[in-house]
């Protein structure tokens, strides 16, 4: 009786074990798919990272080497894509510019209305406890980012064609852009998360500046 019982239970036990292994495989595959959707593919060591910010009022596509940055809407940006560090020809719309991308560095390729595209380096931000506010000043005017009431400087005296950073606690803040004591523009409230860098890109020239918050698309967060 004992051996008969053992033989009769063995297929059931094997089936149960197989079901558990299959369930575990599906769970692992689902987790892997979830991780890939959340983080994207892992970049090889030494990769450069580049995105497109479209400062114009028309949709534009770009490519850097064989890397495509497609269908970026007006005042919008793509997520970062990675490629090996090196020298490339970048095409933005109908314009071509040479670019040099260093390994383990981040860049934004800016589509400027009526001007040649510009490559801007984005120093990486690694503090997971704070958020980063960055002002990328592509205008001809020194600028300061302040609280909306103008009382508290946040990122001060950013020179033309320069950038300035400030680490802050992750909050929702109301800010404004100033040229000296003159308010250039109130800015849309921006929500900041821990470990996130949010850039204010300022294009144009004195009297007609265009400040726009640039952050990763919501689908990439």
């Amino acid at each position: 009786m004992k051996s008969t019982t053992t033989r009769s239970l063995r297929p059931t036990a094997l089936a149960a074990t197989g079901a558990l292994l299959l369930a575990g495989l599906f769970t692992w595959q689902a987790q892997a798919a979830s991780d890939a959707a959340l983080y994207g593919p892992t970049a090889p060591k030494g990769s450069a990272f580049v995105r497109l910010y479209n400062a114009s009022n028309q949709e534009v596509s770009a490519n850097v080497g064989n890397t495509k940055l497609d269908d970026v809407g007006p005042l919008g940006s793509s997520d970062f894509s990675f490629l090996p560090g090196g020298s490339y020809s970048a095409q933005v719309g109908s314009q071509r510019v040479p670019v040099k991308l260093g390994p383990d560095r981040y860049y934004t390729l800016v589509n400027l209305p009526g001007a040649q595209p510009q490559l801007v380096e984005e120093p990486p931000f690694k503090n997971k406890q704070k958020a980063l506010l960055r002002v990328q000043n592509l205008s001809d005017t020194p600028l300061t980012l302040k609280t909306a009431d103008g009382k508290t400087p946040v990122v001060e005296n950013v020179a033309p064609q320069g950038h300035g950073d400030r680490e802050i606690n992750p909050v929702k803040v109301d800010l404004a852009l100033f040229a000296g004591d003159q308010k250039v523009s109130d800015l849309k409230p921006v929500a900041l998360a821990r470990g996130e860098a949010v850039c204010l890109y300022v294009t144009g020239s004195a009297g007609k500046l265009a400040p726009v918050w640039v952050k990763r698309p919501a689908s990439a967060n």
Side-chain angles (χ1 to χ4, degrees):
M1 290 295 291
K2 184 180 291 185
S3 60
T4 302
T5 303
T6 302
R7 284 196 298 271
S8 65
L9 288 176
R10 188 172 295 158
T12 304
L14 287 173
T17 302
L20 287 172
L21 288 172
L22 192 59
L25 176 61
F26 286 151
T27 300
W28 178 86
Q29 288 176 331
Q31 183 63 47
S34 175
D35 289 348
L38 182 60
Y39 300 112
T42 301
K45 186 176 181 180
S47 295
F49 299 81
V50 63
R51 67 179 174 183
L52 176 66
Y53 166 53
N54 180 15
S56 77
N57 58 8
Q58 294 182 333
E59 183 177 272
V60 72
S61 294
N63 63 270
V64 182
N66 294 324
T67 298
K68 296 184 180 298
L69 307 167
D70 288 335
D71 304 328
V72 178
L75 306 182
S77 79
S78 70
D79 196 12
F80 284 101
S81 296
F82 62 83
L83 66 167
S87 296
Y88 295 91
S89 174
Q91 181 168 351
V92 183
S94 61
Q95 298 193 77
R96 283 190 175 273
V97 291
V99 295
K100 187 172 183 179
L101 309 177
D104 302 314
R105 295 189 178 183
Y106 289 75
Y107 300 89
T108 298
L109 185 60
V110 183
N111 179 42
L112 294 166
Q116 192 176 51
Q118 185 171 340
L119 186 70
V120 178
E121 186 166 358
E122 302 275 8
F125 176 59
K126 299 180 179 180
N127 187 341
K128 300 301 182 183
Q129 301 305 312
K130 296 277 190 176
L132 182 78
L133 280 175
R134 173 172 291 152
V135 178
Q136 291 281 13
N137 184 6
L138 305 187
S139 78
D140 58 0
T141 304
L143 298 168
T144 292
L145 187 66
K146 299 182 181 181
T147 53
D149 59 12
K151 294 180 179 179
T152 306
V154 179
V155 183
E156 294 188 78
N157 301 323
V158 183
Q161 306 305 312
H163 81 271
D165 294 351
R166 176 74 178 270
E167 293 185 12
I168 66 172
N169 290 320
V171 294
K172 189 173 182 178
V173 290
D174 293 323
L175 299 167
L177 190 66
F178 286 77
D181 294 329
Q182 181 179 0
K183 182 183 285 190
V184 172
S185 176
D186 286 304
L187 303 172
K188 293 181 179 179
V190 59
L192 303 168
R194 295 183 190 277
E196 182 180 32
V198 180
C199 300
L200 181 71
Y201 267 82
V202 187
T203 57
S205 57
K208 198 174 182 180
L209 298 175
V212 175
W213 291 115
V214 176
K215 58 191 299 186
R216 294 183 67 198
S219 60
N221 291 325

